Amino acid sequence: RQLGHALIAGGVSPGDRVALFLPNGSAVVDAMAAIGAIGAVMVPISTRLGAEEVAYILEDSDASQIIFDADLRDVVDRVHASRPFERRIAVGEPHPGEEAFESLRDQPVSEPLPRLPLAPDDLVLGYTSGTSGRPKGAVGTHRGMIMVSGYMNPVEFGMTRDDRVLITSPMAHRVGLSRVVNMLCTACTIVILPRFDPLDAVDQIEREKVTIISVVPTIARMILPEIEKRPDACRTLTKLLATGEAFPVELKQRLKAVLPSLGLYTMYAQTEGGLMTCLRAEEQDARPESVGRPVPGVEIRLVDDDFQDVAPGAPGEALVRFGAPGELMTMREYFRRPDANEETLLDGGWLRTGDVLRADEDGYLYFVDRAKDMIVSGGLNIYAKEVELTLISHPAVADAAVIGVPDDVFGESVLAYIELEDGQQVDADALIDHCRDRIASYKKPKHIRFAADLPRTTSGKVMKGILRERETATSTP
């Protein structure tokens, strides 16, 4: 309430965008709560982004005010030089022309905040990870966030006030905001890592008696070896919540082996669509490769290129609907992107996910691939995700990224970038043979590249656009 009044006094009105350029910590939670309470729109920006990326988001969002950490002032100054802010609020020691976050937050205020109008209901402008181009700002609403994080999450996961939830990802990502709303709605405790480190994460699980850990698959891969070393430190864990991409079965098996009583909940979710499916703990053994069934109230259709429903069992692009866009769960729109909105928001309230899924006879869904990642070789469709998961099942492979490259005979052929487990070695022929034994021969990689580190977004997703650019540069005379 105190910080909200200070923001209002500085000219923030309902619907105004306020940028948050803050590392994980209590200040970002205070700021999120205050911005939401006064009806403004938060624009969370990952501190791992470069100055040009930060400048792009600030320019695109048209944020007039910024709350930033004093240690990040150099980046803010570079952006400010070309795009001045109306107000700069520093967490830490302010410089001339800046206001101190702590002073604004700690001013005694007795009166309540003004009641908000019914509309606008916008809460957050969350920028997509930009794996296939410039990030777009997805507008999320109060109603959508409360529906997902205040209602669906507690129902699906059995989340209560007694839970202690470890946040491993940057708070600038939607999953970080979701955990804050979990806390506000259920009175659970959140434990925030300043930055992810496997050793520190397990230390915090033990010290804080964490019951729930929230991860993306990349984080799960990184923390699992430390859990395997110290399973007793994780004895209070009851649930692991995983979202972001298809969760490899091999990781599930290792988790179950080291923590047999851990309940694993794997989800299909995205910034634009919210929480769409969940495979609950009791369903993991029967269908370990599935991303679950639609959560209550969510409709999902699988369609072909003409938006006609595909045959049962066939892959198709997923369309999702849960009320009108922005009313309950899906984004309201892309911010100031009429062309993208026309392409993504279809008649009847359906939202295009850009993801290819298939369904079995019981309605369980399986992630096949990003629609744009499909490779056509010799007239046959090859889904990169299937090849990637096959490669990851090799014990020497930590991660894999598959793309299509030009082929004089087949049009496209499969190229795989490989990130090896620490201390492991394997040659390209062995990996190709590994795939030949498990998937159709035409799907196996024709080319293998080894990389020390795959290029990733701040949420851990591999940036395939960079890999494609590398191949284009290599092949250009």
Side-chain angles (χ1 to χ4, degrees):
R1 182 171 70 247
Q2 292 169 186
L3 183 56
H5 275 294
L7 292 173
I8 291 171
V12 179
S13 301
D16 289 349
R17 274 82 57 201
V18 178
L20 299 179
F21 192 39
L22 296 167
N24 282 11
S26 61
V28 71
V29 178
D30 292 339
M32 286 177 170
I35 291 169
I38 65 173
V41 179
M42 68 185 79
V43 185
I45 303 174
S46 172
T47 58
R48 296 174 62 186
L49 296 179
E52 290 186 8
E53 295 169 302
V54 174
Y56 167 79
I57 292 175
L58 291 170
E59 182 72 30
D60 191 76
S61 66
D62 197 22
S64 60
Q65 303 198 12
I66 185 168
I67 303 174
F68 67 97
D69 190 272
D71 289 340
L72 301 169
R73 183 175 285 109
D74 287 350
V75 176
V76 176
D77 285 345
R78 289 172 62 185
V79 174
H80 186 92
S82 59
R83 187 192 177 284
F85 299 100
E86 295 175 11
R87 194 183 195 192
R88 292 170 47 144
I89 301 172
V91 175
E93 190 67 31
H95 280 193
E98 300 172 352
E99 296 178 72
F101 177 85
E102 290 82 358
S103 297
L104 297 177
R105 182 193 60 193
D106 298 340
Q107 291 181 25
V109 175
S110 57
E111 65 267 24
L113 289 168
R115 290 193 179 276
L116 297 179
L118 183 62
D121 189 39
D122 298 343
L123 171 66
V124 59
L125 188 52
Y127 277 77
T128 58
S129 51
T131 56
S132 57
R134 284 286 202 178
K136 297 185 289 292
V139 178
T141 64
H142 284 262
R143 284 171 288 183
M145 190 58 69
I146 294 297
M147 176 58 68
V148 174
S149 304
Y151 174 68
M152 283 188 172
N153 286 176
V155 168
E156 286 292 311
F157 312 141
M159 187 179 288
T160 73
R161 66 180 297 118
D162 297 324
D163 280 311
R164 301 173 70 81
V165 186
L166 183 70
I167 299 177
T168 61
S169 58
M171 298 294 291
H173 299 158
R174 184 178 175 115
V175 68
L177 174 58
S178 292
R179 299 293 86 84
V180 172
V181 178
N182 290 157
M183 175 189 68
L184 295 174
C185 292
T186 70
C188 70
T189 299
I190 56 173
V191 180
I192 305 171
L193 294 177
R195 63 192 61 81
F196 178 74
D197 174 80
L199 179 61
D200 182 44
V202 174
D203 284 345
Q204 292 291 347
I205 290 170
E206 184 174 33
R207 181 180 303 116
E208 299 292 342
K209 297 180 173 57
V210 169
T211 61
I212 298 176
I213 180 171
S214 175
V215 303
V216 296
T218 299
I219 294 295
R221 292 188 192 100
M222 295 171 68
I223 196 174
L224 185 53
E226 192 62 30
I227 293 176
E228 290 172 331
K229 292 177 188 175
R230 304 160 57 197
D232 192 56
C234 301
R235 61 187 179 278
T236 58
L237 280 181
T238 61
K239 301 179 181 74
L240 184 145
L241 317 179
T243 186
E245 58 187 86
F247 201 83
V249 174
E250 181 261 344
L251 281 182
K252 294 183 180 184
Q253 293 169 341
R254 288 174 63 185
L255 280 166
K256 183 175 181 180
V258 69
L259 297 174
S261 62
L262 182 69
L264 180 61
Y265 294 78
T266 48
M267 293 154 277
Y268 170 52
Q270 59 176 209
T271 300
E272 295 91 336
L275 172 63
M276 293 174 279
T277 74
C278 180
L279 188 69
R280 297 173 178 172
E282 64 272 18
E283 300 172 304
Q284 294 288 340
D285 288 341
R287 291 178 171 83
E289 296 178 347
S290 173
V291 294
R293 289 184 289 188
V295 295
V298 170
E299 299 175 82
I300 293 181
R301 292 174 55 202
L302 303 183
V303 301
D304 59 20
D305 292 341
D306 297 320
F307 300 110
Q308 300 299 308
D309 292 345
V310 299
E317 182 180 356
L319 308 183
V320 63
R321 181 172 71 177
F322 188 16
E327 279 192 356
L328 293 175
M329 187 176 68
T330 58
M331 72 170 184
R332 185 173 64 77
E333 65 175 4
Y334 285 123
F335 184 67
R336 295 179 179 174
R337 295 291 185 94
D339 292 344
N341 289 328
E342 185 176 354
E343 179 183 351
T344 304
L345 301 173
L346 308 181
D347 291 342
W350 295 100
L351 179 143
R352 293 185 67 180
T353 65
D355 293 330
V356 177
L357 277 66
R358 64 176 178 84
D360 66 19
E361 63 278 6
D362 295 319
Y364 285 86
L365 292 160
Y366 299 79
F367 186 88
V368 178
D369 209 351
R370 289 286 297 170
K372 294 180 180 179
D373 283 348
M374 188 176 71
I375 301 162
V376 181
S377 181
L380 299 171
N381 293 342
I382 301 171
Y383 291 100
K385 180 58 66 175
E386 180 184 12
V387 185
E388 288 164 358
L389 291 174
T390 303
L391 288 163
I392 291 170
S393 69
H394 191 285
V397 177
D399 205 356
V402 166
I403 61 174
V405 293
D407 188 287
D408 291 340
V409 176
F410 296 102
E412 282 188 300
S413 59
V414 177
L415 182 150
Y417 275 84
I418 302 297
E419 192 176 292
L420 294 174
E421 295 278 7
D422 289 343
Q424 294 291 321
Q425 292 292 327
V426 66
D427 62 31
D429 289 341
L431 290 179
I432 293 171
D433 289 341
H434 176 80
C435 291
R436 183 184 289 111
D437 292 340
R438 289 162 177 80
I439 55 178
S441 182
Y442 69 87
K443 299 178 183 178
K444 69 183 186 298
K446 183 176 181 180
H447 313 281
I448 299 282
R449 305 265 195 275
F450 291 96
D453 294 292
L454 294 172
R456 298 182 185 276
T457 67
T458 57
S459 60
K461 295 180 181 178
V462 176
M463 301 175 73
K464 291 190 177 181
I466 291 179
L467 300 180
R468 294 186 180 99
E469 289 172 4
R470 287 180 186 174
E471 293 304 317
T472 300
T474 301
S475 61
T476 301

